[in-house]
Amino acid sequence: MVNNSMDALVILGATAGGKTALAIAAARHFDGEIISADSRQVYRGMDLGSGKDLAEYAEIPYHLIDIAEAGSEYNLFQFQRDCYAAIKAIHQRRRLPLICGGTGLYLDAVLKGYHLVEVPLNQQLREQVSTLSDEQLRRKLLEIKPQQHNRTDLVERERLLRAYEIALGEARAEPIDPFVWQPLVFGLKWPREMLRRRIRERLNQRLEQGMIAEVENLQAAGVSWEQLEFYGLEYRYIAHYLQGKLRRNEMVQQLANAIGQFAKRQETFFRRMEKHGTRINWLNAQNDPFAQLCRMVEQYRISL
């Protein structure tokens, strides 16, 4: 391990930014294991659409990839629990955990130590609030938990109900000891136009590799069109194409634009994390980010 006072590395950034390649290089250099912080890579069979790139890992151990069935729910509570467990197990092997991903909410939950509890579905509660409008339910949620990290929880009825259930469960739960760790956080930064070009190139590559067939196979295996919509942009737009709602050229163009907009939202989320106290060491992605990371780690070690 690098140093007992820096017990993990975190590598974050927008989609198509090269996070996986950097994490693999760092894992080889620092004798590490990689923990994925991606809300879709947990699902089996969702490979090209989620950008797993498993062949790149070679001998590097990885965690929180392919641990849930497509069509099931894997939530923030489960990720935080599983991520902390993976960190502890890697430390026991005297290796360095490297958390790598672009799902901002997952990253923030483990870096800030969100107070999360496992909350089962509460049918009685749902019946009690069934007559409330979305706006009334939204107000009740915000009274309990004013800071909502995921804005879609305030828009879609089912997510709003679930967020309200969880907020009540968390408010009633006994406090727990926080997970204490000292990660060093890095971010990959690209010029906007270059990142958009990388997004389009990667999209074309994955379409050539069979991403449309991947979505067809998931649907044939029982994952509904509605569930595919929930699993993100690639699955949503390809599902629309397969249902005849979009022509192929329309699907590719709209999907590329949507991924570009998503990348902007990721960057906005990371800036918000910084405003709320997370220190992110930004790396120039065009200028050997691995060398930059190694220099910063060495400087950090010297300063201890």
Side-chain angles (χ1 to χ4, degrees), residues 7 10 17 22 30 69 77 96-97 101 117 126 219 232 235 252 283:
D7 49 18
V10 176
L22 177 59
F30 294 116
E69 289 296 334
F77 167 82
L96 180 71
V117 295
R126 289 181 173 227
Q219 206 276 328
Y235 298 98
V252 174
L283 307 171

Side-chain angles (χ1 to χ4, degrees), residues 42-43 68-76 78 121 162 166 227 230-231:
V42 297
Y43 296 108
E69 289 296 334
S72 66
E73 178 193 1
Y74 185 87
N75 58 37
L76 186 64
Q78 291 169 298
L121 291 175
R162 184 64 183 142
I166 292 171
Q227 287 171 316
F230 178 77
Y231 286 135

